[in-house]
Amino acid sequence: MDSWPGKDAGSGFTTVGVEGLTQAGSADLLYVAVKNDNPFATALPGNAVYAKLPAVVQKRVFALDPGTWFFGGPLSAQQAIAEFLRVYQA
């Protein structure tokens, strides 16, 4: 599995545009978005760069529960792990 080559903003997260996702190599794409504003289901599928990402081509794009929160300590980590397991055990 590839690791993210970009520099994070000090929180372990990085904000990038679609072109930035090309740096993800063969990594899966997991995301959090609210159902009524989900660019991964609406805008991005029509984007030529997004459509060619390895994760998209190989159908390795996974939505996490919109309530998944990564900044709350152990309970947030527990929820995130539960979501990762849900995605990968499906």
Side-chain angles (χ1 to χ4, degrees), residues 11-27:
S11 61
F13 288 85
T14 306
T15 301
V16 297
V18 175
E19 291 78 14
L21 293 175
T22 61
Q23 297 179 50
S26 64

Side-chain angles (χ1 to χ4, degrees), residues 1 13 17 19 27 41 46 48-49 55 60 63-64 66 68-70 78 82-83:
M1 178 187 318
F13 288 85
E19 291 78 14
V49 174
R60 294 182 291 105
L64 300 179
T68 304
W69 183 249
F70 294 97
Q78 185 178 19
E83 275 300 294

Side-chain angles (χ1 to χ4, degrees), residues 36-72:
N36 62 348
D37 186 20
N38 182 350
F40 292 91
T42 57
L44 288 174
N47 181 291
V49 174
Y50 179 79
K52 293 179 182 176
L53 293 173
V56 174
V57 171
Q58 297 169 5
K59 300 190 185 321
R60 294 182 291 105
V61 178
F62 305 103
L64 300 179
D65 182 282
T68 304
W69 183 249
F70 294 97
F71 301 102

Side-chain angles (χ1 to χ4, degrees), residues 3-9 14 16 23:
S3 63
W4 181 248
K7 182 175 172 146
D8 73 72
T14 306
V16 297
Q23 297 179 50

